Every structure is written in C-alpha cells, then in structure tokens.
C-alpha cells in the first residue's frame, strides 16, 4: 500500500526558499532509483530533497551552488537524505565543465535559475531594493568570513556603479534590465557619484528614482527593479553562466538523459529555448544538395513543449513563481 500522509520530501510552508514548479521539475527529470542526477542550483534544496528520495540509497545526487549560505544547507542536507551526495562549491558553468573534464556521466541535470529567497531576505547581501544595505549582489560572497571554492573574481554592484562610464552603464541597464530610461539613469549615476559614493541600495534607489520622469515612476513595478536586475546579472555573469553551463550539462548525459531548466525572465528563457531548439535540429545541409553530407541528427526530444508554467494556485501561494517557465529535453542520440 502506498504511504499515506504528507510527502516527507515536501517543502515546509516556512522553508527559507519555496521551490517553484517543484513536482513538475522533478517529473521532468524523472529520477529513478540508483541513478545519478545533478542539481545545478541547490539553494535551500527544495527540489533536491524530492530528487534524493527518488534516487534512494543506491543513487547519487551532485549539488552545485556558489553561495556559502546554500552550501551550508547542502552540508546538512547530505546527512539527512537517503542517497549519496556530492557537493560542488562553484559557479555552475565551472562546476559542469570540471565534471565533464573528469569524465563524469549523469542521467539527469536541472537548474532553477536566479536568486533564492534567502539571498533577497538577507538585506546585507544587497539584492533587495526595498531594504537599505551595502550594494553588493555577489552570490558567491555570502556571509563575512565564509569561504567557498568560488575563485571567479566577482566585483560588487557598488564597484560597477563607481567605475563604469555612461555608455557601459546604459548598455547594461538596457540589455539586462530592459530599462527604458537607461541613459538617464546612467547619467544620473555618473553625476551623483561625484557628490558622494553610491555604495548602498538605498542611495542607488534614490538616484534611480530621481532619474526617472515622475509620471513613469509608478509604472511597471518599483522604479529601481530593472536597474537592480541588470546589475545582478552583470555582477554574477548570469547569462554567460547559462550559455556555458547548458551545453556542458548536456554533454554529461547519455541517451535517455534529461535536462530541465526553470528561468524567471525572458533573457534567460530565450537562451534556454534557443539551446533546446539547437538540439532538435537535424540535417543542416543546403537544400539543393541531393544527399545529406553533414550527418547531423536531432539529439533530443523536447519535454514540456512550449514551456511549463506554474498552476494558478502556485502563482497565488508563491508570487515569486509568476514569471517562471520550465523547459526541458530528453537525449535521444549522442553524436558519433
Ligand atoms: C532559485 S535558487 C534555487 C532554489 C532551489 N531549487 C530550492 O528549491 O531551494 C537559485 C540558487 O542558485 C544559485 N546560483 C545562481 N546562479 C548560480 C551560478 N551561476 N552558479 C552557482 N550557483 C548559482 C544561487 O546561489 C541560489 O542558491
């Protein structure tokens, strides 16, 4: 008889981070007893706990994160779950490339991109525009004194607003924040930093708000939302990490292997979609060639066609989930 009562792997309502598309993601990865799966963004381990249950004592779960707070949770998690756990403390692009270099193979890999609620809730990390704190935003830095293997030099958001010129700031705010007033904000940053350093979230919010025309300040959410998103993406090289990690993760999978990715904004989702589409492509020979000479075969079949979005109940319970989209692919061939 199946066990009754709540799923022991279900996230508690007071968990430090409520996993998004929890069951849908795990269903897409479909972990089986004894398999090897990689969680590229461990966070508070919401998805990982359910995956670990499915893998059982013969299975292996590799968990990756660059954030020391997440890594501390992972260390405890490793003692609590039934499967073997290997913790990799690194940005996920470096982690997957290192696993590939050691010839590691996996049956599944998944990413839940972006920030955790812990990172937003700890004001001193500088991710939140609603609370005044040092302007940091480095995912890999964590609490003072915490050490990780994250040896990628990261500069803080404060260093960016203190040193970048108007064209570079404008480009970042426009390309990564989709900010309409990018040029006005960039000019205000450069002007205001001459008067006093912009080294706190509160001061940046004031500078950004002051640069946006008054009628536009209350349109499209908090006036500093897009600037904060842009800086966070730059500080953590978020898009570069995704571009490198997806092919590296895919290369670790054999036939039948599954990849699942949750993204939270169109810049990420576009990359995931493009990557999955590239796997579906067959012959790329010019149409006038009588026979195929490229030999390229589709490597994948798509999972969750068009992307899976949270059900209305989840969107209501967890507003953070509203922008989430889950995409995936199953490996059907490995190029010779
Ligand atoms: C949305 S949270 C994951 C939450 C997790 N699935 C859960 O249920 O608790 C994203 C996590 O990925 C980590 N992260 C984001 N980008 C990363 C990167 N490039 N390398 C390593 N970790 C990263 C963050 O530090 C954060 O802990």
């Amino acid at each position: 008889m199946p066990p009754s009562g709540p799923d022991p792997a279900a996230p508690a309502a007071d968990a430090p981070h409520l996993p998004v598309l929890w069951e849908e993601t795990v269903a897409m990865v479909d972990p089986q007893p004894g398999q090897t799966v990689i969680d590229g963004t461990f966070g508070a381990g919401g998805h990982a706990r359910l995956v670990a249950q499915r893998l059982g004592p013969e299975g292996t779960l590799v968990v990756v994160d660059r954030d020391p707070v997440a890594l501390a949770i992972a260390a405890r998690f490793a003692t609590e779950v039934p499967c073997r756990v290997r913790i990799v403390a690194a940005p996920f692009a470096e982690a997957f490339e290192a696993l590939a270099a050691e010839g590691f193979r996996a049956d599944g890999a998944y990413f839940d991109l972006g920030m955790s609620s812990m990172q937003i809730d700890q004001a001193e990390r500088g991710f939140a525009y609603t609370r005044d704190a040092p302007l940091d935003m480095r995912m890999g830095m964590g609490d003072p004194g915490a050490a990780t293997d994250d040896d990628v030099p990261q500069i803080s958001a404060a260093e960016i607003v203190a040193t970048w010129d108007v064209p570079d700031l404008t480009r970042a705010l426009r390309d990564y924040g989709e900010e309409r007033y990018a040029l006005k904000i960039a000019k205000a940053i450069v002007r205001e930093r001459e008067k006093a350093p912009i080294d706190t979230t509160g001061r940046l919010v004031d500078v950004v708000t002051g640069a946006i025309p008054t009628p536009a300040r209350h349109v499209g959410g908090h006036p500093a939302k897009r600037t904060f998103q842009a800086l966070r993406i730059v500080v953590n090289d978020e898009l570069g990490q995704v571009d490198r990690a997806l092919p590296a993760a895919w290369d670790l999978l054999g036939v039948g292997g599954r990849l699942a990715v949750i993204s939270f904004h169109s810049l990420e989702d576009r990359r995931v979609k493009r990557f999955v589409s590239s796997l579906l492509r067959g012959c790329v020979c010019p149409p006038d060639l009588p026979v195929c000479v490229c030999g390229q075969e589709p490597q994948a079949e798509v999972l969750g066609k068009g992307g899976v979005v949270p059900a209305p109940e989840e969107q209501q319970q967890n507003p953070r989930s509203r922008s989430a989209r889950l995409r995936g692919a199953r490996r059907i061939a490995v190029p010779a």
Side-chain angles (χ1 to χ4, degrees), residues 17-20 22 39-48 64-67 70 90-94 110-119 125 139-140 236-238 241-242 262 264 320:
H17 174 96
L18 217 48
V20 169
W22 181 64
D39 180 330
T41 50
F42 176 79
H47 296 95
V64 180
D65 210 294
R66 72 194 302 182
D67 185 305
F92 53 59
E94 280 76 359
Y110 60 96
F111 297 86
D112 175 12
L113 299 172
M115 285 178 297
S116 67
S117 301
M118 287 110 66
Q119 287 165 332
R125 304 295 298 273
M139 286 185 185
N236 297 292
D237 184 24
E238 291 185 25
Q241 281 281 312
V242 171
I262 308 172
F264 287 88
R320 218 190 124 256

Side-chain angles (χ1 to χ4, degrees), residues 1-312:
M1 211 164 83
S4 59
D7 187 334
D14 61 351
H17 174 96
L18 217 48
V20 169
L21 290 163
W22 181 64
E23 287 177 301
E24 294 87 340
T25 306
V26 178
M28 195 175 269
V29 179
D30 193 25
Q32 299 295 319
Q35 285 190 333
T36 297
V37 170
I38 313 173
D39 180 330
T41 50
F42 176 79
H47 296 95
R49 202 164 282 278
L50 181 55
V51 172
Q53 290 294 337
R54 300 275 165 90
L55 294 174
E58 301 303 318
T60 300
L61 178 60
V62 179
V63 304
V64 180
D65 210 294
R66 72 194 302 182
D67 185 305
V69 176
L71 292 166
I73 297 175
R76 202 171 55 241
F77 168 90
T79 66
E80 295 168 350
V81 292
C83 68
R84 288 184 289 267
V85 175
R86 173 172 168 189
I87 300 172
V88 182
F92 53 59
E94 280 76 359
F96 279 88
E97 286 167 1
L99 288 168
E102 66 179 65
F104 195 84
R105 309 297 296 159
D107 301 290
Y110 60 96
F111 297 86
D112 175 12
L113 299 172
M115 285 178 297
S116 67
S117 301
M118 287 110 66
Q119 287 165 332
I120 303 168
D121 292 344
Q122 292 167 331
E124 69 276 15
R125 304 295 298 273
F127 286 102
Y129 43 76
T130 48
R131 292 156 76 188
D132 196 21
L135 187 57
D136 193 321
M137 302 195 194
R138 282 174 292 186
M139 286 185 185
M141 188 175 152
D143 296 325
T148 76
D149 291 345
D150 183 352
D151 54 4
V152 175
Q154 275 190 286
I155 60 166
S156 69
E159 288 169 88
I160 290 171
V161 299
T163 55
W164 283 25
D165 61 14
V166 170
D168 283 348
L169 284 169
T170 306
R171 210 170 303 118
L173 299 182
R174 195 191 51 219
D175 293 354
Y176 304 139
E178 301 178 284
E179 172 56 66
R180 213 174 138 194
Y181 300 102
L183 178 61
K184 281 186 191 303
I185 295 170
K187 284 181 172 169
I189 287 173
V190 170
R191 189 174 61 243
E192 291 299 319
R193 75 188 184 201
E194 296 303 315
K195 300 178 192 160
I198 305 172
D199 52 7
T200 63
T201 52
R203 174 136 165 77
L204 180 62
V205 167
D206 289 345
V207 171
V208 171
T209 307
I212 295 178
T214 316
R217 280 182 202 162
H218 304 290
V219 180
H222 191 286
K225 182 174 137 187
R226 289 169 294 279
T227 297
F228 272 61
Q229 173 181 303
L231 288 173
R232 200 197 84 207
I233 288 176
V234 173
V235 166
N236 297 292
D237 184 24
E238 291 185 25
L239 302 178
Q241 281 281 312
V242 171
D243 285 342
R244 283 169 54 202
L246 295 183
W250 185 252
D251 283 349
L252 303 183
L253 304 179
V255 171
R258 287 160 173 259
L259 176 71
V261 187
I262 308 172
S263 58
F264 287 88
H265 53 76
S266 57
L267 296 170
E268 283 169 350
D269 184 54
R270 223 173 287 150
R271 288 173 148 74
V272 179
K273 190 175 167 188
R274 203 189 311 138
F275 177 70
V276 171
S277 302
S278 75
L279 303 172
L280 308 178
R281 223 172 286 140
C283 169
V284 290
C285 292
D288 52 345
L289 277 191
V291 288
C292 168
V293 291
C294 74
Q296 187 169 308
E297 305 261 10
Q299 290 182 47
E301 69 182 19
V302 76
L303 301 173
K305 199 161 188 293
V308 179
V309 296

